[in-house]
């Protein structure tokens, strides 16, 4: 245990919550499939970043997480890689429809980056990713969603529009990511976030990532996450 504490300290990782899974040192410690490992290598990722070292084992164990680390620290892969594992673990994948993984991000640009990153890891597993944000006509978006997907990357407003017109159902959604939660709050998306969360089954796994953690987001996190592990890397503003 002492060396775990030392290792966390060396990576500037702080954790709180009960039974926190120990951080990994190399991607191989995650038990990823060969396919996923080769996709990681193809990305040029040699070893996990500090947030990935601690977040990957937490999320892979099925726990909810509050992940706080600055921009550029590799938070996307910290939720995308376990999402691929989560999706591949679903029994009878074909039985229902609608996304299994739902990712909300504050802007079209950020959502698009996550969309591209998700596709890189989803492709080799036959997992379909749908982008749900402005820039595409609502009719085209509707058609694309109707064609089916396992992952949706969305801005909250457009996702709610698509839910309203029943372009997708959340029946299968069990893995919900709120990325850049601080920016979503700053942009006034709290009601939309609450609406989306309210439409995803309560037995979901919920992940919240942010570069800063102001009080109001901490409060929201406590409301919508279940026994989360909180991970902070480096010095983070409030
Ligand atoms: P954040 O969401 O924390 O701002 P990103 O997930 O966008 O950070 O990652 C920032 C950059 O680091 C991206 O270009 C990404 O491809 C790269 N990256 C992520 N994880 C690793 C890794 N383990 N090794 C090398 N580069 C990585
Ligand atoms: Mg990010």
């Amino acid at each position: 245990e002492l060396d775990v504490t030392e290792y966390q300290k060396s990576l500037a990782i702080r954790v709180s919550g009960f039974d926190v899974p120990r951080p990994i040192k190399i991607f191989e410690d995650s038990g990823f499939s060969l396919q996923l490992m080769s996709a990681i290598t193809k990305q040029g990722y040699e070893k996990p970043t500090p947030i990935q070292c601690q977040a990957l084992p937490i999320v892979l164990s099925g726990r909810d997480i509050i992940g706080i680390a600055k921009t550029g620290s590799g938070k996307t892969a910290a939720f995308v890689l376990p999402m691929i594992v989560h999706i591949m673990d679903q029994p009878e994948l074909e039985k229902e429809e609608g996304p299994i993984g739902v990712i909300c991000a504050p802007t079209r640009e950020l959502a698009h980056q996550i969309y591209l990153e998700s596709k890189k890891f989803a492709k080799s597993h036959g997992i379909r990713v749908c982008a749900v944000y402005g820039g595409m006509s609502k009719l085209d978006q509707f058609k694309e969603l109707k064609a089916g997907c396992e992952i949706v990357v969305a801005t909250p407003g457009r996702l709610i529009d698509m839910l309203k017109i029943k372009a997708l159902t959340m029946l299968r959604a069990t893995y919900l990511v709120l990325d850049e939660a601080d920016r979503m709050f700053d942009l006034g998306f709290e009601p939309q976030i609450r609406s989306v969360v309210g439409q995803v089954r309560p037995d979901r796994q919920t992940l919240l990532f942010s570069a800063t953690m102001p009080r109001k987001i901490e409060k929201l996190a406590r409301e919508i996450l279940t026994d989360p592990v909180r991970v902070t890397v480096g010095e983070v503003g409030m």
Side-chain angles (χ1 to χ4, degrees):
E1 277 311 306
L2 193 69
D3 56 307
V4 168
T5 311
E6 282 302 310
Y7 178 55
Q8 288 169 329
K9 221 170 148 185
S10 74
L11 297 177
I13 295 170
R14 278 166 294 139
V15 294
S16 60
F18 69 86
D19 280 346
V20 180
R22 50 170 62 224
I24 57 162
K25 293 189 170 159
I26 54 175
F27 282 117
E28 283 78 359
D29 294 338
S30 291
F32 289 139
S33 67
L34 283 174
Q35 275 159 303
L36 205 46
M37 280 308 306
S38 74
I40 290 167
T41 307
K42 210 169 153 193
Q43 282 306 295
Y45 297 179
E46 287 172 10
K47 61 182 182 58
T49 65
I51 186 72
Q52 291 164 4
C53 287
Q54 185 61 77
L56 287 172
I58 292 169
V59 182
L60 286 165
S61 79
R63 294 284 296 274
D64 283 3
I65 189 170
I66 301 172
I68 311 153
K70 66 174 200 280
T71 301
S73 55
K75 294 189 290 296
T76 316
F79 59 77
V80 168
L81 294 171
M83 178 172 63
I84 303 295
V85 175
H86 177 93
I87 292 169
M88 295 314 287
D89 278 351
Q90 298 305 304
E92 304 184 74
L93 254 178
E94 326 289 315
K95 231 177 132 187
E96 300 216 55
E97 51 181 72
I100 297 168
V102 175
I103 303 163
C104 289
T107 65
R108 188 203 294 191
E109 291 71 26
L110 286 162
H112 185 67
Q113 283 173 24
I114 298 166
Y115 169 72
L116 295 177
E117 180 108 349
S118 303
K119 278 224 302 201
K120 286 173 191 159
F121 296 111
K123 217 171 36 187
S124 55
H125 293 77
I127 293 172
R128 298 164 295 175
V129 190
C130 249
V132 178
Y133 39 80
M136 188 181 188
S137 87
K138 288 192 181 174
L139 181 62
D140 288 343
Q141 196 116 79
F142 181 88
K143 288 181 190 159
E144 207 184 300
L145 283 166
K146 278 292 180 191
C149 64
E150 284 71 44
I151 296 172
V152 155
V153 185
T155 50
R158 183 58 80 99
L159 179 57
I160 287 169
D161 291 346
M162 289 297 126
L163 285 163
K164 268 187 199 140
I165 60 172
K166 301 205 180 336
L168 73 164
T169 124
M170 292 291 215
L171 285 172
R172 222 171 40 146
T174 45
Y175 189 102
L176 176 65
V177 183
L178 305 174
D179 192 27
E180 305 238 8
D182 50 356
R183 288 192 62 191
M184 288 205 281
F185 256 73
D186 290 343
L187 293 168
F189 288 144
E190 183 180 358
Q192 285 90 335
I193 295 168
R194 288 185 182 275
S195 165
V196 169
V197 170
Q199 296 183 62
V200 183
R201 36 200 276 195
D203 64 346
R204 66 178 181 262
Q205 184 176 8
T206 314
L207 295 71
L208 185 146
F209 286 90
S210 202
T212 63
M213 192 50 56
R215 263 262 157 69
K216 51 192 199 283
I217 299 176
E218 191 86 48
K219 182 172 169 285
L220 175 81
R222 298 290 158 190
E223 286 175 44
I224 65 177
L225 278 67
T226 306
D227 296 329
V229 179
R230 190 182 196 279
V231 180
T232 309
V233 174
E235 287 307 313
V236 175
M238 298 292 274

